[in-house]
Amino acid sequence: MPNYYEILGVDRSAEQEVIDAAYRAMMRRYHPDTFTGLKAEGERRAKQLNEAYATLRDAERRRAYDETLGPAAPKTAPVREALANPNPPSARHRGLLIGGLAIAAVITVVAYANRQAPPAPIATASTPTAFPKPAPSPVAKTAPSPSASSTTLAACKGMTCRVLTPFGWGGIEAGVTTDSAQAASGLKIGDDGHYTEAGDGTCLAYEVIGGPKNLQMLVESGVVTTVEAYLDPPAPTFMTDRGVKLGDSEAAVRQAYAGLKQLPDIYSEPPDKKLFYYEPGGERGIKFSINGGKVSGISVGSPSIEYVEGCL
């Protein structure tokens, strides 16, 4: 059974207002009538979102579903670092791997402050015809605890964003064209020349014009596939939506992410390695480059995060 909380990009302890806002934001992005990516992908995502929301919007069904998940996992440390305007150095950092994808989970709580009435599931071609809804029982509300999804991430968009998610960064989402990425993020991106002379132009490294020099994107046939940030003091320090920062220990990664896939670093010697975390379905993930026991790089986006050099 898919994890409905992960599909909506919210914590298991999230209040109803957060779940409602997450559903609205995700459906605006993935509804088949508006999704700019592959039609089948939009329909699949919309079906998942409707299924998840139909359960989590109802107190009784949510309680029964939570019982199937077992005890809640310990909460990960919240993102505590303030977002500040970048002050990139003149020196340019080149990475072996380029990463990509834009943040869907980041914007899932933007509408939280509005506290609108819970929306009804949005109909699509793949939406079930009806969701049985038993009479809800009163549920005691508790104050939401501080977390990346309810504080910092709500404002994480554009040049000031320092948070990477499996879906991307700052409004640039993996799986969309460069034009769509620019329109969604409000940023100007362009070929940085890193792979321009290496092939037929279908695999390119992109940068944010005037942005952090330790952040790059991989663009394949005009589509952003990964976003990658490297540790390069005094350049900005990026982190994941679970609070793991560039420069953190390998132990911090393993504490925040379960079920990690490990591959060797072919350009280095053990114990250096690559650690991979994938969202349900394996279509979006995060790669942590571990060098000297520390996180030296974070790549997010499609399975292209496993590329070794360029698009290979």
Side-chain angles (χ1 to χ4, degrees):
M1 178 182 293
N3 188 308
Y4 292 149
Y5 293 102
E6 292 181 354
I7 289 173
L8 290 174
V10 299
D11 293 332
R12 183 169 167 181
S13 60
E15 286 193 311
Q16 190 60 49
E17 292 91 340
V18 176
I19 291 173
D20 295 340
Y23 174 73
R24 291 190 191 97
M26 295 288 273
M27 280 303 297
R28 280 197 299 270
R29 183 169 297 272
Y30 287 110
H31 194 285
D33 292 340
T34 57
F35 184 55
T36 58
L38 295 176
K39 180 179 179 181
E41 171 70 0
E43 291 177 346
R44 186 187 68 80
R45 286 281 188 176
K47 182 179 180 180
Q48 284 185 335
L49 292 168
N50 275 321
E51 179 182 341
Y53 185 61
T55 295
L56 300 186
R57 73 193 293 260
D58 182 275
E60 285 296 324
R61 293 180 67 179
R62 181 179 179 182
R63 183 182 296 109
Y65 173 70
D66 285 349
E67 290 177 357
T68 69
L69 298 179
K75 291 183 179 180
T76 56
V79 175
R80 303 182 185 276
E81 190 166 306
L83 302 181
N85 287 327
N87 183 21
S90 57
R92 184 195 190 96
H93 181 80
R94 298 288 188 179
L96 294 175
L97 299 176
I98 316 291
L101 186 220
I103 148 183
V106 168
I107 65 167
T108 57
V109 297
V110 172
Y112 175 46
N114 295 331
R115 296 181 179 273
Q116 301 174 11
I122 298 173
T124 69
S126 55
T127 303
T129 56
F131 295 106
K133 181 175 180 177
S137 300
V139 178
K141 293 183 70 174
T142 57
S145 57
S147 66
S149 62
S150 62
T151 54
T152 307
L153 293 186
C156 191
K157 186 174 181 180
M159 197 77 78
T160 61
C161 184
R162 294 290 174 268
V163 182
L164 298 156
T165 81
F167 298 91
W169 167 82
I172 297 176
E173 184 174 333
V176 304
T177 65
T178 54
D179 287 344
S180 296
Q182 290 183 119
S185 65
L187 301 173
K188 178 69 175 177
I189 62 176
D191 181 6
D192 71 2
H194 191 56
Y195 294 124
T196 303
E197 305 300 327
D200 58 5
T202 59
C203 179
L204 299 171
Y206 265 50
E207 64 181 347
V208 177
I209 307 301
K213 296 303 181 182
N214 62 329
L215 184 139
Q216 295 174 308
M217 288 152 278
L218 186 65
V219 174
E220 301 179 61
S221 300
V223 174
V224 178
T225 55
T226 58
V227 177
E228 187 163 41
Y230 288 96
L231 182 64
D232 186 26
T237 298
F238 290 85
M239 68 194 80
T240 72
D241 52 352
R242 296 192 185 182
V244 178
K245 302 187 298 295
L246 289 169
D248 278 354
S249 66
E250 177 182 343
V253 177
R254 295 189 180 278
Q255 181 178 3
Y257 296 89
L260 290 167
K261 173 182 177 180
Q262 179 175 318
L263 292 176
D265 185 338
I266 66 170
Y267 292 102
S268 185
E269 298 293 331
D272 290 352
K273 60 181 70 74
K274 309 290 184 182
L275 298 176
F276 299 85
Y277 163 79
Y278 282 101
E279 290 286 296
E283 297 175 356
R284 298 290 183 267
I286 304 177
K287 176 182 71 180
F288 297 93
S289 299
I290 307 297
N291 295 94
K294 303 291 184 181
V295 178
S296 62
I298 301 174
S299 304
V300 299
S302 71
S304 62
I305 57 176
E306 294 196 28
Y307 290 168
V308 174
E309 176 68 23
C311 293
L312 302 175

